[in-house]
Amino acid sequence: MKYKSDIDKMRVALDEAKKALNLDEVPIGAAVFDKDDNLIASAHNMREVDQNPVSHAEIIVIQEASKVLETWRLEDTTIAVTVEPDAMCAGAIVNARIKTLLYGVPNLKAGAAYSLYNIPQDPRLNHFVEIRENILPHESEVILSSFFESKR
């Protein structure tokens, strides 16, 4: 199946975020697509399940996509993430040589793809990532809000 539009791609990430919500994880989902708009891999946060601070959706999906493609260079791929990546994940996106980052909502407390930093587009680094933001932001926000409201 082809996921031609940014919205189609973000819907895959949103489905993953819902899986995280069902596991009582911070509901963030991610998906990686090839240059022909095919889904390579999708994942969601697993920090609580794994008891691992690096089990973020972006890290997991990058690892899975690298296994599928049998390369760490994910050139000509697109990653869709429901929330703006933090510094660790933004760095992983750069290091994986991902071409395009799509995200749903900004991360005002830890965002490193525009809000606080812009690691994917820092000219001092060896790779530049195209960023498209605010893809289905309402849907991402609703999932996040429901999670944090349940914690109050």
Side-chain angles (χ1 to χ4, degrees):
M1 177 176 178
K2 301 269 186 192
Y3 297 87
K4 293 212 177 261
S5 73
D6 292 353
I7 289 171
D8 291 340
K9 292 175 175 86
M10 188 58 67
R11 284 193 175 117
V12 176
L14 285 163
D15 286 344
E16 287 293 331
K18 291 173 189 169
K19 292 176 187 176
L21 184 64
N22 291 334
L23 294 171
D24 205 30
E25 294 276 355
V26 175
I28 297 174
V32 173
F33 302 86
D34 68 17
K35 66 180 178 172
D36 297 317
D37 302 313
N38 298 301
L39 177 64
I40 298 169
S42 61
H44 54 274
N45 275 4
M46 294 286 289
R47 287 187 308 175
E48 297 300 328
V49 170
D50 293 348
Q51 287 298 295
N52 184 335
V54 299
S55 288
H56 288 212
E58 299 95 325
I59 300 298
I60 296 167
V61 81
I62 288 169
Q63 290 174 329
E64 290 300 315
S66 293
K67 285 179 191 173
V68 169
L69 297 176
E70 299 180 333
T71 181
W72 64 267
R73 288 183 174 91
L74 301 181
E75 297 163 336
D76 294 322
T77 63
T78 296
I79 187 169
V81 186
T82 56
V83 177
E84 177 186 2
D86 65 6
M88 174 181 69
C89 296
I93 290 166
V94 170
N95 285 321
R97 310 296 195 269
I98 292 173
K99 181 179 180 181
T100 306
L101 163 64
L102 313 174
Y103 69 85
V105 293
N107 181 344
L108 301 178
K109 293 183 179 181
Y114 180 75
S115 294
L116 300 179
Y117 309 99
N118 192 349
I119 292 170
Q121 296 182 333
D122 189 319
R124 296 168 295 181
L125 299 177
N126 62 345
H127 181 69
F128 181 90
V129 180
E130 177 187 349
I131 299 174
R132 294 197 291 271
E133 58 189 325
N134 295 313
I135 313 297
L136 297 177
H138 177 74
E139 291 82 343
S140 293
E141 186 60 42
V142 166
I143 294 171
L144 278 173
S145 296
S146 67
F147 174 79
F148 288 111
E149 285 173 12
S150 75
K151 299 298 176 192
R152 291 185 190 128

